[in-house]
Amino acid sequence: MSAKDNFALSASAFLLVAVWVYLSNGVPQLRITGWIGLVSTAVLFLTGGGAEGFKRSLWTGVVGIGGAAAAIAILNAIDGGLIFTVFGLASLAFILVAISGVPALAPAPVSFVGACCFIAAGAPTDERALFLAWSWVAGLGLGYSVGVLAKKLGALLGSESA
């Protein structure tokens, strides 16, 4: 990566984090969980960025969040203790890997990241689960937008790979 490309990417990361931290903390009406949005943005770039990375990360992450929400709701309803929790979450892992054979729901690690974000956020089984999914989607949207800006900045700087 050239120095110009690295600068463009670094500047876009600065912008992304600044905007995201402001939105998640300064605009509470949005009900965004900041760290989940940043995780989904990282997933976006790990899946290749751009429109293709966005598509690969959108539904896959939301399915991971939804799958974890369903699993936790079922586990809470049956209140079966550790053995049911082990079996329930292992079953979720099986399902997330199995559905990754569907192109729109691949790669499997993205669904695991979504599920882990849900569980790490306290595994809410009420309307807060929807706001966690919203945070995922909003992070992808902001990450995609900043990626477009980074390409434009790279082109303005005359980078070799812009």
Side-chain angles (χ1 to χ4, degrees), residues 47-60:
T47 57
E52 188 58 34
F54 182 87
K55 288 188 291 188
R56 293 180 69 191
S57 302
L58 176 64
W59 293 115
T60 309

Side-chain angles (χ1 to χ4, degrees), residues 22-120:
Y22 175 78
L23 290 175
S24 63
N25 291 292
V27 188
Q29 302 86 340
L30 292 177
R31 296 188 66 179
I32 293 172
T33 304
W35 66 269
I36 292 177
L38 290 172
V39 168
S40 73
T41 299
V43 166
L44 166 69
F45 291 107
L46 286 173
T47 57
E52 188 58 34
F54 182 87
K55 288 188 291 188
R56 293 180 69 191
S57 302
L58 176 64
W59 293 115
T60 309
V62 170
V63 164
I65 291 169
I72 297 298
I74 292 167
L75 291 169
N76 287 343
I78 63 174
D79 193 26
L82 179 60
I83 194 69
F84 282 97
T85 302
V86 169
F87 182 76
L89 293 180
S91 297
L92 173 63
F94 176 88
I95 291 167
L96 294 179
V97 172
I99 64 173
S100 70
V102 175
L105 298 176
V110 174
S111 61
F112 275 83
V113 171
C116 289
C117 284
F118 176 80
I119 292 168

Side-chain angles (χ1 to χ4, degrees), residues 9 14 16 30 36 45 48 57 62 115 118 120 126 133 135 149 154 160:
L9 189 57
F14 173 90
L16 173 71
L30 292 177
I36 292 177
F45 291 107
S57 302
V62 170
F118 176 80
D126 55 15
S135 298
L149 288 174
E160 294 81 36

